[in-house]
DNA sequence: GTCTTGACGTAAC
DNA sequence: GGTTACGCCAAGA
């Protein structure tokens, strides 16, 4: 079988599984995608991905809940707006992972191939 | 096949 | 919690 999904494909699939109102870090996405430590790959995928893919990029942040982009950038603002619209509270470009951090359930983990 | 880049992570200070 | 430095590895040229 030569139809193994590319690493990038797995990442995109994982991102689509992020529930609304929750946020996940790049490292977590990579880990769930079966690529522990490959957080940079996640970023690369999102950058190359189009908006038509329905990838909730705004639900992906850096570690510790910091926004994925530097403050002042157009996307950083858009991200905070989108997150707050989903019910995620942001304080100083930071998201409280204690309350909004994505906690994948067992079924979700199995669905991702765990 | 080699070099460069990259929506990052973690450690150290 | 901010900043600096280094590491990791896939994809593109």
């Amino acid at each position: 079988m030569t139809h193994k999904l590319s690493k990038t494909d797995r990442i995109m699939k994982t991102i689509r599984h992020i529930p609304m109102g929750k946020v996940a870090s790049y490292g977590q996405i990579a880990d769930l995608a079966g690529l522990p430590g490959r957080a940079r790959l996640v970023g690369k995928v999102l950058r190359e991905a189009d908006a038509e893919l329905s990838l909730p990029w705004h639900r992906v942040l850096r570690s510790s809940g910091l926004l994925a982009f530097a403050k002042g950038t157009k996307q950083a603002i858009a991200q905070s707006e989108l997150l707050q619209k989903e019910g995620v509270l942001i304080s100083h470009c930071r998201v409280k992972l204690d309350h909004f951090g994505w906690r994948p359930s067992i079924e979700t983990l199995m669905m991702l191939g765990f």
Side-chain angles (χ1 to χ4, degrees), chain A residues 29-45:
Chain A
I29 299 296
D31 188 45
L32 292 172
L35 306 165
R38 250 88 293 169
R40 308 192 82 182
L41 264 287
V42 179
K44 189 170 258 210
V45 172

Side-chain angles (χ1 to χ4, degrees), chain A residues 12 43-53 55:
Chain A
M12 288 196 294
K44 189 170 258 210
V45 172
L46 286 169
R47 201 209 200 242
E48 306 261 309
D50 277 342
E52 303 181 52
L53 296 175
L55 291 178

Side-chain angles (χ1 to χ4, degrees), chain A residues 37-90:
Chain A
R38 250 88 293 169
R40 308 192 82 182
L41 264 287
V42 179
K44 189 170 258 210
V45 172
L46 286 169
R47 201 209 200 242
E48 306 261 309
D50 277 342
E52 303 181 52
L53 296 175
S54 303
L55 291 178
W57 61 272
H58 56 270
R59 291 179 196 152
V60 187
L61 348 157
R62 287 197 173 217
S63 58
S64 300
L66 193 72
L67 283 184
F69 302 92
K71 191 177 188 223
T73 58
K74 186 171 165 186
Q75 301 215 319
I77 299 173
Q79 182 170 35
S80 57
E81 291 279 303
L82 286 166
L83 287 175
Q84 288 182 79
K85 206 154 66 165
E86 292 188 355
V88 180
L89 299 179
I90 301 177

Side-chain angles (χ1 to χ4, degrees), chain A residues 5 10 13-14 16-19 32-33 102 104-114:
Chain A
L5 287 173
R10 292 201 57 136
K13 209 159 196 170
T14 304
R16 284 201 190 110
H17 284 293
I18 302 178
L32 292 172
W102 180 31
S105 61
I106 301 298
E107 297 188 359
T108 305
L109 292 174
M110 297 203 306
M111 186 162 45
L112 291 170
F114 254 81

Side-chain angles (χ1 to χ4, degrees), chain A residues 1-7 9-10 13:
Chain A
M1 295 307 217
T2 59
H3 288 103
K4 274 181 79 172
L5 287 173
S6 299
K7 327 274 184 183
D9 287 331
R10 292 201 57 136
K13 209 159 196 170

